[in-house]
């Protein structure tokens, strides 16, 4: 069975893809049934049922526990620019340019701190 895929249109290829997916699903179900029957036959030869061998319950799968993705609370600003009080900094992360400029002038960080 040779199919010339290069000469087919996109719609024809999509139809074939759908047919192949259905055939794969059917083949997997058929293989699963055959494997089940073979396993039952092998267990019966030793005088067991599959339920006897599997202790009647399936082992639970182990999943990784993901940490709850809760939004982090924003930190309160700790420092404010004396020239423009709307510019603030929490004291975490990269120092803003205005903070570095004040530090280079010799201003202490405590004088820029926002009172609680």
């Amino acid at each position: 069975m040779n199919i010339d895929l290069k000469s087919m249109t996109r719609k024809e290829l999509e139809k074939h893809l759908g047919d192949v997916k259905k055939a794969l699903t059917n083949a997997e179900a058929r293989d699963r049934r055959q494997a089940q029957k073979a396993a039952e036959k092998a267990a019966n030869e030793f005088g067991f049922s599959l339920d006897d061998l599997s202790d009647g319950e399936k082992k639970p799968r182990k999943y990784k526990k993901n940490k709850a993705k809760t939004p982090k609370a924003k930190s309160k600003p700790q420092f404010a620019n004396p020239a423009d009080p709307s510019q603030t900094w929490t004291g975490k992360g990269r120092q803003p340019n205005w903070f570095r400029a004040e530090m280079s002038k010799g201003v202490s960080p405590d004088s820029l701190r926002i009172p609680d």
Side-chain angles (χ1 to χ4, degrees):
M1 171 190 222
N2 288 335
I3 299 175
D4 186 18
L5 299 176
K6 292 181 181 179
S7 65
M8 290 186 179
T9 65
R10 184 177 54 87
K11 287 186 178 183
E12 291 172 333
L13 289 170
E14 286 175 352
K15 182 187 179 307
H16 281 292
L17 180 62
D19 294 342
V20 167
K21 285 182 180 180
K22 286 179 188 176
L24 279 173
T25 302
N26 292 337
E28 182 180 352
R30 182 180 59 245
D31 290 346
R32 185 177 302 275
R33 285 190 305 271
Q34 289 175 348
Q36 181 79 22
K37 286 179 184 177
E40 287 173 355
K41 183 179 177 183
N44 286 336
E45 287 179 8
F46 291 96
F48 296 105
S49 70
L50 284 181
D51 289 336
D52 292 341
L53 296 177
S54 65
D55 296 333
E57 60 184 67
K58 294 182 180 178
K59 293 182 181 178
R61 291 185 180 178
K62 294 183 180 180
Y63 293 102
K64 276 188 173 179
K65 291 185 180 180
N66 292 334
K67 292 184 180 179
K69 294 184 180 180
T70 57
K72 293 183 179 179
K74 284 195 168 188
S75 300
K76 292 187 338 185
Q78 300 293 320
F79 303 95
N81 185 353
D84 183 5
S86 67
Q87 293 179 338
T88 59
W89 180 49
T90 62
K92 298 178 183 178
R94 187 173 170 200
Q95 294 177 342
N97 290 336
W98 60 264
F99 188 84
R100 278 189 269 144
E102 294 294 320
M103 294 297 107
S104 66
K105 291 179 190 174
V107 176
S108 72
D110 290 333
S111 65
L112 300 175
R113 189 170 294 277
I114 300 172
D116 287 333

